[in-house]
């Protein structure tokens, strides 16, 4: 963290020189109160913009003496806000991992966010989607609050207003050193006064052209655990959709049992359809004489079947392509939203001429069912449900025609940045798909 704070300290000294804060007590007060390096531009430009656009001037800050201690405090406030943004916007990202991305990205918020998207293999991600936009705004507001910005709501509104005219803002901020403080305020207010719709897509694309993003050759770590947690969260969403689509009377009286027994999300269809088909198929083939009538499925039971689905998906890919590491398998499943027909380019060939009954005599059944069964045995032995944080890839699938899949410990190895991992593998050519 000291390296990151040192970089941010250098950014603050550069911003101070551009703002000429020591020549204007009002600018100094604005700087100390609101000059955080959080925003849609590079860190130095963010500091300048946040200093100029705040309408709050604290008289007690106008007589302050600017020194390295004050700059260090500003850098720490900004770092806390940057980390808060990333933790909110990217589920299951650890604090130390967020700081690692910020260090590689030179404390550039959007560059760090782009790195996380690329590292996680989120090929269907769009910052302008109906889900991403409100989450981005909420994360920006949280970052302002954590960094002790005096006007969090104004902070968010200003950056949303500037998002569609960032090139003009960059030109203005780059030339402001030769302008008076009053002229700077007039020009920035004129820029903010223009009626324009927010455009986060422009800010996202602009971040790809900044040096920290272009100069990154690799990411030295593979954050498999956070990827696995994100994947399990996606699988939980599939089960909630499947529960909503199944008829309630049958779900309470029959299907709850078959879903927990064999309602896995792997198969030849999309994950939600697989859950429904597998649930109904098991109920037809292995009906219980008198199943209990339930009003709900407990979260622990749902977590258990989600875990087994994850083991089945991972075991299928590792059985088919046993040269893949755990990280590569999980990254593939995240990139394709746990859809085997997208994750495996040879999937259609494997199922050609076979009806859509679940896993009719193919390696799909052998790999996925074996892994799920192993997990079930482990659960019964431990007498407690699986917790996502403790999941590891198991999957030693032994069947005729299938080689055993070795347990591969998680290892740290370079991950090429800028191109999804699977595109560099001879077996995969994953096309973008929105979850």
């Amino acid at each position: 963290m000291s390296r990151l704070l040192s970089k941010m300290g250098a950014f603050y000294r550069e911003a101070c020189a551009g703002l000429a804060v020591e020549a204007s007590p009002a600018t100094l007060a604005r700087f100390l109160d609101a000059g955080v390096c959080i925003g849609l531009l590079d860190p130095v430009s963010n500091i300048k913009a946040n200093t100029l656009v705040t309408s709050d001037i604290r008289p007690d800050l106008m007589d302050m003496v600017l020194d390295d201690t004050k700059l260090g405090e500003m850098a720490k406030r900004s770092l806390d806000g940057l980390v808060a943004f990333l933790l909110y916007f990217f589920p299951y990202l650890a604090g130390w991992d967020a700081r690692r991305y910020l260090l590689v990205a030179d404390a550039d918020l959007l560059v760090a966010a782009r790195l996380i998207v690329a590292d996680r293999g989120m090929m269907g991600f769009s910052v302008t989607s109906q889900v991403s936009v409100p989450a981005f705004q909420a994360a920006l507001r949280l970052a302002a609050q954590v960094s002790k910005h005096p006007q969090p709501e104004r902070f968010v509104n200003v950056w949303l207003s500037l998002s569609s005219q960032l090139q003009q803002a960059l030109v203005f901020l780059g030339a402001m050193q030769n302008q008076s403080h009053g002229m700077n305020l007039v020009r920035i207010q004129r820029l903010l006064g223009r009626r324009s719709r927010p455009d986060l897509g422009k800010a996202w694309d602009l971040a790809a052209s900044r040096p920290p993003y272009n100069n990154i050759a690799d990411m030295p770590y593979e954050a498999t655990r956070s990827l696995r947690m994100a994947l399990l969260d996606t699988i939980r969403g599939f089960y909630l959709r499947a529960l909503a689509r199944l008829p309630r009377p049958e779900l309470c009286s029959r299907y709850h049992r078959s879903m927990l027994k064999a309602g896995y999300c792997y198969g030849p269809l999309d994950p939600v359809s697989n859950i429904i088909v597998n649930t109904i198929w098991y109920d037809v083939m292995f009906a219980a004489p008198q199943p209990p009538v339930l009003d709900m499925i407990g979260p622990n039971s749902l977590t258990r079947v989600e875990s087994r689905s994850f083991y089945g998906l991972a075991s299928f890919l590792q059985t088919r392509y046993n040269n893949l590491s755990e990280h590569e398998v999980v990254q593939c499943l995240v990139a394709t939203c746990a859809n085997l027909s997208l994750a495996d380019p040879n999937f259609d060939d494997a199922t050609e001429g076979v009806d859509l009954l679940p896993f009719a005599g193919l390696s799909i059944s052998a790999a996925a069912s074996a892994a799920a069964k192993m997990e079930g045995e482990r659960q019964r032995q431990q007498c407690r449900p699986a917790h996502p944080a403790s999941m590891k890839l198991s999957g030693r699938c032994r069947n005729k025609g299938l080689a055993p899949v070795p347990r591969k410990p998680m290892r740290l190895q370079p991950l090429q940045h800028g191109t999804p991992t699977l595109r560099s593998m001879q077996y995969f050519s994953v096309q973008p798909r929105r979850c």
Side-chain angles (χ1 to χ4, degrees):
M1 192 169 71
S2 59
R3 288 176 58 196
L4 182 55
L5 288 173
S6 177
K7 284 186 178 183
M8 295 174 70
F11 295 146
Y12 270 98
R13 285 188 288 272
E14 182 179 347
C16 286
L19 290 166
V21 294
E22 296 180 348
S24 171
T27 304
L28 176 61
R30 292 172 183 270
F31 172 79
L32 292 175
D33 199 21
V36 293
C37 69
I38 304 168
L40 305 183
L41 295 171
D42 61 274
V44 176
S45 298
N46 289 336
I47 296 170
K48 292 179 180 180
N50 290 330
T51 299
L52 291 176
V53 300
T54 182
S55 60
D56 180 67
I57 301 179
R58 289 173 50 188
D60 59 306
L61 295 177
M62 298 179 68
D63 299 328
M64 287 283 186
V65 177
L66 190 62
D67 54 19
D68 288 342
T69 302
K70 291 288 189 300
L71 292 180
E73 293 173 356
M74 293 293 296
K76 183 62 170 63
R77 284 171 51 192
S78 292
L79 177 58
D80 291 341
L82 292 168
V83 171
F85 178 98
L86 294 179
L87 294 183
Y88 183 93
F89 196 64
F90 295 100
Y92 309 112
L93 184 70
W96 65 267
D97 211 12
R99 286 186 285 271
R100 176 175 67 90
Y101 283 110
L102 288 168
L103 177 63
V104 176
D106 288 344
D108 191 316
L109 180 60
L110 288 191
V111 170
R114 288 187 67 104
L115 287 176
I116 297 171
V117 168
D119 204 19
R120 286 188 171 189
M122 299 166 62
M123 300 172 65
F125 173 82
S126 172
V127 75
T128 58
S129 70
Q130 293 182 348
V131 175
S132 297
V133 170
F136 192 96
Q137 295 179 17
L140 209 56
R141 186 178 298 107
L142 176 64
Q145 293 170 346
V146 171
S147 64
K148 301 178 182 178
H149 190 281
Q151 300 168 312
E153 284 299 329
R154 177 176 171 80
F155 173 87
V156 174
N157 293 333
V158 163
W159 280 112
L160 291 179
S161 178
L162 288 176
S163 63
S164 60
Q165 42 191 345
L166 292 176
Q167 291 289 1
Q168 300 94 310
L170 278 174
V171 172
F172 159 68
L173 293 170
M176 64 178 294
Q177 191 166 3
N178 300 322
Q179 305 290 335
S180 65
H181 176 70
M183 182 63 70
N184 289 331
L185 289 178
V186 170
R187 293 184 66 183
I188 195 70
Q189 292 296 337
R190 186 181 304 163
L191 196 62
L192 291 173
R194 297 177 182 175
R195 295 290 181 180
S196 58
R197 297 182 61 183
D199 191 349
L200 293 176
K202 284 187 177 179
W204 189 259
D205 294 338
L206 184 62
S209 65
R210 291 201 279 271
Y213 189 78
N214 287 334
N215 295 340
I216 295 170
D218 61 76
M219 293 295 294
Y221 299 103
E222 295 180 349
T224 307
R225 182 183 180 277
S226 63
L227 271 181
R228 189 166 58 241
M229 297 291 286
L231 176 60
L232 286 164
D233 195 51
T234 300
I235 294 175
R236 167 62 62 93
F238 295 149
Y239 276 93
L240 295 179
R241 293 183 203 174
L243 287 169
R245 294 183 186 180
L246 287 168
R248 180 176 176 80
E250 286 78 5
L251 180 61
C252 294
S253 61
R254 296 158 45 200
Y255 290 156
H256 62 82
R257 168 185 170 271
S258 55
M259 175 177 283
L260 295 179
K261 287 280 189 179
Y264 304 127
C265 71
Y266 45 76
L269 306 175
D270 65 271
V272 177
S273 299
N274 287 330
I275 295 171
I276 295 173
V277 171
N278 290 337
T279 296
I280 297 174
W281 174 82
Y282 190 88
D283 180 71
V284 171
M285 299 301 296
F286 305 100
Q290 293 181 333
V293 177
L294 301 179
D295 291 329
M296 63 174 291
I297 295 178
N300 289 340
S301 298
L302 203 57
T303 297
R304 184 180 295 113
V305 71
E306 292 161 6
S307 305
R308 293 176 183 172
S309 285
F310 165 71
Y311 291 132
L313 291 165
S315 296
F316 172 80
L317 290 179
Q318 280 204 318
T319 301
R320 297 270 285 171
Y321 310 106
N322 54 22
N323 62 322
L324 297 183
S325 68
E326 175 183 357
H327 181 80
E328 290 166 340
V329 166
V330 177
Q331 189 178 42
C332 173
L333 293 171
V334 169
T336 56
C337 294
N339 192 326
L340 284 181
S341 62
L342 296 176
D344 183 1
N346 299 316
F347 189 86
D348 291 337
D349 295 336
T351 57
E352 186 177 357
V354 180
D355 56 19
L356 293 184
L357 286 176
F359 326 123
L362 295 174
S363 60
I364 305 172
S365 177
S369 300
K373 183 179 179 181
M374 289 177 60
E375 170 58 12
E377 293 296 331
R378 189 176 73 85
Q379 294 300 324
R380 281 190 287 273
Q381 291 173 6
Q382 294 185 353
C383 298
R384 59 185 176 87
H387 191 280
S390 65
M391 293 179 187
K392 297 288 183 183
L393 287 181
S394 54
R396 290 183 177 273
C397 308
R398 299 183 181 276
N399 194 23
K400 186 176 181 181
L402 293 179
V405 180
R407 294 179 65 120
K408 298 183 179 181
M410 177 175 161
R411 60 184 184 279
L412 304 181
Q413 52 180 276
L415 179 62
Q416 195 68 22
H417 167 68
T419 304
T421 302
L422 301 180
R423 288 188 179 176
S424 64
M425 299 180 207
Q426 58 178 331
Y427 297 114
F428 286 88
S429 178
V430 181
Q431 299 300 318
R433 176 183 174 90
R434 298 184 67 175
C435 298

